[in-house]
Amino acid sequence: MSHISLVLLAVAASMAAAPAPILAQAPARAAAAKSWTVPRTADGHPDLQGIWSNATLTPFERPKELAGKPFFSEQEAAEFTRISLERGNRDRRGATPQEDVGGAYNEVWFERGTKVGSNLRTSIVVEPANGRVPPLTPEASKAAAARAVVQGRLPEGPEDFTLPVRCLQWGTSGPPMIPGPYNNNYQIVQTHDSLAIDVEMIHDVRIIPLDGRAHNSSRIRRWMGDSVGRWEGDTLVVDTTNFTDKTHVRGSDQNLHVVERFTRTGADTIRYQFHMDDATAFTQPWGGEIIMSRTPGPVYEYACHEGNYSLANMLGAARAEEKVTK
């Protein structure tokens, strides 16, 4: 049984015996929220600028052990956090040399977060209601299987390695911006006409125009798609299309359409929501929510050089292995 399953079984057991959630603190939170005023830029829009982190212990999909339970109580969230941190501690040595080496980096390198999100959700995915990514279409399943075959064989050339392995692009850059095991920081810089998001993981900067322009021609495609933004009241809405067939968010393809929403909810929080629509890849649309927290920073350079220095060695090793196995 996996560590996460053990964590969830323990938490599920504690839920059965846990008292009802403490609701007495809700009025205090409401009063604090009312006393806070949304900061605004010179043009009157909410100020989203700063360095923010989306690191969280909230599971991406709702675990089967928590089926039908969209929210933790505060006591349940604390217990889930305690057990998750204990079970996931990479400073724990493996029982065998192979298991120990397989643990790779120790705990100092990780930045998964220290608690579940302040929204107390049991999963980042909130749509559909079961908190799980819907199944792939038959066509998308075949495409995913074909990619798995390429990844499972000896690489024939650099193109056989994924974009992250080649240090070209990482899934945390988005859209959607989903947290990874570390480097989950984003710096937002905002003007009247555009908004830029500097992504700590690898090197990407998303530049999102806010001047009312339309999307580029569908003939122009990018790994992170073509994003355009607009304001709906105090929420920034970012619409992204024109993806390539090189990035696959949970099996998505070049027809992916992502809508993101950024809403300031407090002095140190942004509610980040995303909606995924890709009829050729997923059997239904889906989406999620993450509470991003202000962090002091700075955003450091992520000098990902594996693709620069190691690529020739990896391909050379593959050719050497071919000679041995033939």
Side-chain angles (χ1 to χ4, degrees):
M1 183 177 290
S2 67
H3 285 333
I4 189 62
S5 295
L6 290 170
V7 170
L8 294 166
L9 285 173
V11 173
S14 71
M15 289 177 182
I22 298 174
L23 300 179
Q25 297 178 0
R29 288 199 195 95
K34 289 181 180 178
S35 65
W36 175 75
T37 301
V38 178
R40 299 183 183 276
T41 58
D43 59 8
H45 293 302
D47 191 345
L48 301 176
Q49 297 182 101
I51 301 175
W52 307 87
S53 171
N54 64 358
T56 180
L57 293 181
T58 302
F60 183 72
E61 294 185 276
R62 187 176 307 145
K64 294 179 181 179
E65 292 87 348
L66 302 180
K69 186 177 182 63
F71 296 96
F72 290 113
S73 70
E74 291 189 1
Q75 296 94 331
E76 292 163 354
E79 180 66 2
F80 182 88
T81 294
R82 182 188 70 79
I83 299 176
S84 296
L85 291 174
E86 180 181 321
R87 295 287 187 183
N89 185 353
R90 296 297 286 269
D91 287 336
R92 296 162 62 101
R93 301 301 297 265
T96 65
Q98 293 80 3
E99 185 178 313
D100 197 32
V101 173
Y105 303 154
N106 62 12
E107 192 65 18
V108 72
W109 299 102
F110 285 84
E111 188 191 28
R112 314 176 195 83
T114 58
K115 58 184 178 180
V116 300
S118 58
N119 56 9
L120 296 181
R121 291 189 178 275
T122 56
S123 62
I124 290 175
V125 174
V126 300
E127 175 196 2
N130 67 0
R132 300 188 67 82
V133 177
L136 295 176
T137 63
E139 294 79 7
S141 294
K142 291 179 182 177
R147 291 192 296 271
V149 169
V150 173
Q151 295 305 305
R153 74 187 185 197
L154 290 175
E156 298 176 356
E159 294 80 8
D160 281 354
F161 293 106
T162 63
L163 297 181
V165 169
R166 295 161 65 191
C167 296
L168 295 174
Q169 192 260 353
W170 199 272
T172 53
S173 60
M177 301 189 308
I178 298 171
Y182 41 71
N183 298 99
N184 292 306
N185 296 324
Y186 303 80
Q187 183 170 9
I188 297 179
V189 178
Q190 179 180 346
T191 71
H192 175 73
D193 295 324
S194 62
L195 181 141
I197 304 176
D198 180 12
V199 185
E200 184 177 36
M201 191 64 168
I202 297 192
H203 54 236
D204 292 304
V205 178
R206 295 180 60 193
I207 299 177
I208 302 165
L210 306 175
D211 55 7
R213 72 181 65 179
H215 283 293
N216 288 326
S217 165
S218 60
R219 293 176 296 178
I220 301 174
R221 295 183 173 270
R222 301 172 177 171
W223 290 336
M224 295 187 293
D226 177 54
S227 296
V228 295
R230 67 181 185 277
W231 291 98
E232 291 185 358
D234 282 348
T235 295
L236 174 65
V237 179
V238 179
D239 188 287
T240 305
T241 60
N242 294 24
F243 289 90
T244 72
D245 61 355
K246 298 293 188 299
T247 50
H248 308 281
V249 183
R250 297 279 167 154
S252 65
D253 59 25
Q254 68 273 16
N255 298 317
L256 177 63
H257 178 196
V258 182
V259 177
E260 302 165 282
R261 288 179 166 81
F262 298 77
T263 308
R264 285 291 299 268
T265 54
D268 298 315
T269 54
I270 291 177
R271 182 171 66 244
Y272 172 72
Q273 300 165 296
F274 60 91
H275 177 83
M276 309 276 288
D277 195 350
D278 190 344
T280 56
F282 301 108
T283 51
Q284 68 181 98
W286 59 281
E289 175 182 294
I290 301 170
I291 303 301
M292 302 184 72
S293 301
R294 186 183 295 278
T295 185
V299 174
Y300 291 98
E301 176 192 10
Y302 185 79
C304 184
H305 287 305
E306 286 90 337
N308 296 329
Y309 297 118
S310 300
L311 196 59
N313 291 335
M314 291 188 288
L315 290 171
R319 303 291 78 80
E321 186 172 347
E322 284 176 343
K323 293 179 181 179
V324 172
T325 55
K326 283 183 178 179

